[in-house]
């Protein structure tokens, strides 16, 4: 049988079941490309329904470079050809499989399968971070991929060099689900609906219709007797779905319906492009209803494919804002839609609960692999909120019938559905009943259950764990995996990256601005903080750490870090971590022996958080690195807090400073400065007279500087509210009125009196033993 005939048979089988088929063309690249052309012609796929993803140019088909494969998300093709010979990565596969329509073909061009695991490409080269080379990178992920291609149902393999069919598709394990009808689904009982019937007529599956119906809660009580919720109760809708289930379309139909009814709908997502489908469906509905005000529409920024704001003729609108901005609920929207909610930190998600009507939309299983993390991390806050919560899950695929073999192959090969152990088997885990384990890449590759548990927990630890991360876990020479096991199951896991130990040439290149992959902490210390020697010590950065949600708050994460510290003590110079700073995380890392040495001066665009870098030394070289960067941080922090970090959360500032190694000496003030400070605390003195003196005292207190001398003030402390007051007013130099409002003082005068009281505490701690302080106090207290 020729390649053309095989492709024709595959397409016939795919169309009959409304599934897809996977055709692997293994061998030399040119032979594979020629065979791909034969396959397209044999399957009778029109050229305008074919996309080839390759680094090569000069094809008659639509061609997309591998690094731009993300742009195909949300699009549909009858055939997609993926060239794995160059610029191939696991993420490329994860992004492409969902673009093939039911009845279509996914064509994969590979090197000879028996050789592929031992032929590293561009992606593998990217894993060779200094001081490692390409020869140190493993081939375990590629071996895994090859094994699935040789054994999974619905996959055909052709040796294009020999011109032979190596494997015909074994469809015995493929579901024979009937093809879904493409006829639009029209619900009955429209008189009780809040949204226009056109929204339901646009739905392609029952799941989509259910989701649109659930999103009617954002319009408020329906007035038709169907809702048992009290008038005025805030509403939250959670829509969860695997990728390819049409959730963005359902949300777009709901947004268009709300806007057509006059509502102001605010949409947010990690990136404006993520929301493009939402806006496209909303636009189509408004246009179908004759309610689109083209003249009033605002073009969205962000380039081709980005969402464009919409205005309805009745005054409603659908508009976009980035997450950090949207969390402030600008212009008081009537409803908020948070798309790809799993990609946002809990702090931001919780901020959206200040809206009276909010929808959280997230992918459960997709190439990001983040939905389960959303469920675990955010559910507690959602449960405690005053909102009436409506949950809806979408399971039926839009583009193809359930049971599609290409989807199940992708889930299997890329672990898109990886999850931690079920709650019951780890619920009794305690620090005294667990075992520490060093997991090697070979052990992970050989044990599918173990790999799924580890990767499933890592998915929970970070909002966007991608297929590339699976390959890194198996093959990157700089990564280490450490875990705690309970009764044979992984209950806590940490992913560590070896950093540093760099040669002089590499350190010099970093200092001069060259990015060096896989060495985040030395890179920041060297390129930004101008410490060329920072790349000499060897450290292990905690990339991710996660404990099973059924066993959290029992000290397992801390126990894991203790075990890691004991293992690497003497074998490395430091442990480090970099993360989006929150008060809770700062406190967690501080409790576990890590100390702040840097706060970034720019926010993460999606999370809105500033990043903190912390170190825990393991050797004298590590202590020297920690000490000098802590010293530099203390020296520059007062300046940046009044400038780039002027809007940082005061609780983040408090926690970051509290976990910074304190100076050995108390703050130094002149006698004149002490008179000003004492005057502000007990008399008519004013902060504005000598703000730098107050700044030095406040900063010293927040980093825990010693009192010194015979002041006797070691035990004198500030209240949390006083610390926030000092951060906002003295360190971040905010206006008195703004500080009073934010900290809930009844008036600016009361805020200033509280400031005077806090100054008294500072005087007690740092000035009580000084003659000038005693004299000044005696004048006011006498």
């Amino acid at each position: 049988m020729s390649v053309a005939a095989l492709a024709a048979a595959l397409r016939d089988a795919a169309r009959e079941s409304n599934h897809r088929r996977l055709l692997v063309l293994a061998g030399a690249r040119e032979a594979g490309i020629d065979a791909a052309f034969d396959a397209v012609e044999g399957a009778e796929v029109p050229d305008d329904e074919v996309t080839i993803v390759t680094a090569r140019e000069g094809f008659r088909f639509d061609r997309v470079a591998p690094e731009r494969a993300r742009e195909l998300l949300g699009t549909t093709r009858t055939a997609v050809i993926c060239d794995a010979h160059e610029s191939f990565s696991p993420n490329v596969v994860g992004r492409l499989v969902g673009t093939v329509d039911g009845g279509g073909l996914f064509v994969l061009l590979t090197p000879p399968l028996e050789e592929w695991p031992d032929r590293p490409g561009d992606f593998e080269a990217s894993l060779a971070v200094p001081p490692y080379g390409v020869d140190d990178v493993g081939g375990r992920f590629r071996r895994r991929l090859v094994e699935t291609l040789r054994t999974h149902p619905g996959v055909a393999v052709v040796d294009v060099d020999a011109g032979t069919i190596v494997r015909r598709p074994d469809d015995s394990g493929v579901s024979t689900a009937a093809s879904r009808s493409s006829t639009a689904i029209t619900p009955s009982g429209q008189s009780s609906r809040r949204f226009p019937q056109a929204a339901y007529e646009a739905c392609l599956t029952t799941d989509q219709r259910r989701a649109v119906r659930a999103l009617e809660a954002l319009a408020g009580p329906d007035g038709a007797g169907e809702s048992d919720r009290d008038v005025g109760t805030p509403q939250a809708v959670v829509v969860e779905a695997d990728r390819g289930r049409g959730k963005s379309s359902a949300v777009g139909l709901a947004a268009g319906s709300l806007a057509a009814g006059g509502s102001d709908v605010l949409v947010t997502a990690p990136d404006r492009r993520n929301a493009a489908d939402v806006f496209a469906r909303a636009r189509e509905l408004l246009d179908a209803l004759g309610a689109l005000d083209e003249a009033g529409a605002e073009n969205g920024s962000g380039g081709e494919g980005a969402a464009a704001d919409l205005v309805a003729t009745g005054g409603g609108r659908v508009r976009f804002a980035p997450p950090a901005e949207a969390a402030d609920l600008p212009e008081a929207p009537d409803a908020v839609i948070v798309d790809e909610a799993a990609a946002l930190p809990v702090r931001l998600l919780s901020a959206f609960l200040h809206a009276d009507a909010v929808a959280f939309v997230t992918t459960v299983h997709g190439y990001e692999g983040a939905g389960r993390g959303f469920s675990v991390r955010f559910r507690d806050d959602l449960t405690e909120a005053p909102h009436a919560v409506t949950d809806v899950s979408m399971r039926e695929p839009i583009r193809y019938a359930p049971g599609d073999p290409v989807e199940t192959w992708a889930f299997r090969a890329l672990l898109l559905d990886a999850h931690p152990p079920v709650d019951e088997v780890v619920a009794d885990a305690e620090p005294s009943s667990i075992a520490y384990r060093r997991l090697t890449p070979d052990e992970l590759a050989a044990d599918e259950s173990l790999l799924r548990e580890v990767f499933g927990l890592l998915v929970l630890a970070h909002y966007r764990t991608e297929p590339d991360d699976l390959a890194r876990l198996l093959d990157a020479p700089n990564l280490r995996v450490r875990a705690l096991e309970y009764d044979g199951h992984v209950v806590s896991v940490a992913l560590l990256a070896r950093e540093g130990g760099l040669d002089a040439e590499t350190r010099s290149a970093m200092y001069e601005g060259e990015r060096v992959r896989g060495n985040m902490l030395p890179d920041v210390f060297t390129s930004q903080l101008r410490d060329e020697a920072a790349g000499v010590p060897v450290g292990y950065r905690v990339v991710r750490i996660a404990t099973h949600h059924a066993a959290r708050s029992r000290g397992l994460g801390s126990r894991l870090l203790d075990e890691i510290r004991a293992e690497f003590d003497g074998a490395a110079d430091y442990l480090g971590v970099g993360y989006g700073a929150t008060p809770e995380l700062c406190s967690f890392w501080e409790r576990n022996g890590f100390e702040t040495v840097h706060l970034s001066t720019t926010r993460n665009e999606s999370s809105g958080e500033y990043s903190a870098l912390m170190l825990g030394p393991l050797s004298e070289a590590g202590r020297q690195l920690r000490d000098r960067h802590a010293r530099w941080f203390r020296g520059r922090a007062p300046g940046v807090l009044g400038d780039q970090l002027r809007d940082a959360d005061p609780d983040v500032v408090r926690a970051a400073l509290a976990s910074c190694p304190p100076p050995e000496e108390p703050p130094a003030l002149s006698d004149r400065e002490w008179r000003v400070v004492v005057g502000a605390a007990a008399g008519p003195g004013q902060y504005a007279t000598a703000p730098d003196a107050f700044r030095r005292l406040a900063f010293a207190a927040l980093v825990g500087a010693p009192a010194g001398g015979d002041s006797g003030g070691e035990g004198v402390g500030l209240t949390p509210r006083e610390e926030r007051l000092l951060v906002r007013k003295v360190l971040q130099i905010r206006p008195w009125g703004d500080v009073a409002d934010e900290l809930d003082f009844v008036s600016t005068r009361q805020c200033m009196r509280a400031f005077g009281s806090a100054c008294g505490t500072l005087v007690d701690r740092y000035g009580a033993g000084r003659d000038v302080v005693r004299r000044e106090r005696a004048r006011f207290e006498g």
Side-chain angles (χ1 to χ4, degrees), residues 630-663:
R631 183 175 68 252
W632 295 343
F633 175 63
R634 292 194 304 265
R636 69 179 179 274
V640 296
L641 285 169
D643 192 356
Q644 295 99 325
L645 294 176
R646 195 166 181 260
D647 62 343
D649 183 335
D651 285 331
V652 167
V653 174
R654 292 172 59 226
L657 296 183
S659 56
C660 176

Side-chain angles (χ1 to χ4, degrees), residues 292-346:
L292 181 63
D293 182 358
E294 292 280 7
E298 306 168 33
N299 291 326
S301 61
E304 182 182 354
D309 293 351
L310 306 171
V311 176
T313 54
R317 59 176 175 166
V318 184
R319 55 191 172 98
F320 181 88
E325 177 184 333
D328 292 331
L329 305 180
E331 301 180 57
D334 298 308
V336 177
I337 293 173
V338 185
D339 200 14
E340 297 298 348
L344 302 181
V346 172

